[in-house]
Amino acid sequence: MPELPEVETTRRGLAPHLIGHSVRRVSVRCAQLRQPVPPELGATLTGQTLRRLDRRAKYLLFGFDSGTLLAHLGMSGSLRLVRPDTAPEKHDHVDLDFGHLTLRYRDPRRFGMLLWLSPADDGSPLRELGPEPLEDAFNGAWLHRHTRGRKTPIKTWLMDNHNVVGIGNIYAAESLFRARIHPLTPAAQLGPRRCERLVQCIRDTLADAIAAGGSTLRDFVGGDGQPGYFQQQYFVYGRDGEPCRICAQPIRRIVQAQRATCFCAHCQRR
């Protein structure tokens, strides 16, 4: 599943080519995504100019004149820029034609979504999300304060978007390794210094991943169609049985909240 770095990579790739341009035509070849594409989307967007392109958690927010197009890539979705005369392929479900380029939504599994939000819409899925991990509000003091009394393992806590957004399985595992924190450690057991270190490691991990264009897992590519390569820098994720890059002990794998967790039992002692 595309996580925060992959979504941010997509945003940065699309924004310079689309902001300030108007939608000429919308083509919906398959509306049956996780939530159906609004039938009025074409009529709503045609003629509107894209004013800004932001990211919130794993959502992309296309800010138009009269509202926002909210996009989530789901498990296998991608947004790519193609020439307007490029023929669609099997899983290319929606096109936004900007004249000079077409923004094409591809999603083999159809778990993503495209929703239109008017300024008065109170049904946004963004309402109950936690803070952004790359913003100043997310710091060591905040993490320490919000984990008091929480027996939830810290990795599971980090992956809950109600606590903090955008830290999925890959980047939670990698951040905890860098911070030398065992993934099963109850969140409440982290003291101020470990909270400060973990926040910095989360920031560093996400920044490194964004700089590398994200990770290529299954179908993810950036807005230019190019894959990311952060997976070449993984310390633990997907490396169970392989030697730790720091101590050479084998990486272990357990299951937490129905998700695989990889860690080094020597470097991340409980």
Side-chain angles (χ1 to χ4, degrees), residues 44-45 48 51-52 61-70 115-127:
T44 299
L45 281 180
Q48 292 207 47
R51 302 299 181 184
R52 58 187 299 163
L61 287 70
F62 294 81
F64 288 94
D65 297 317
S66 67
T68 301
L69 179 65
L70 190 71
L115 299 178
W116 177 255
L117 301 177
S118 66
D121 197 326
D122 61 357
S124 170
L126 307 179
R127 288 179 300 171

Side-chain angles (χ1 to χ4, degrees), residues 53 78 113 119 130 185 269:
L53 177 51
S78 64
M113 61 182 179
T185 302
R269 296 179 181 180

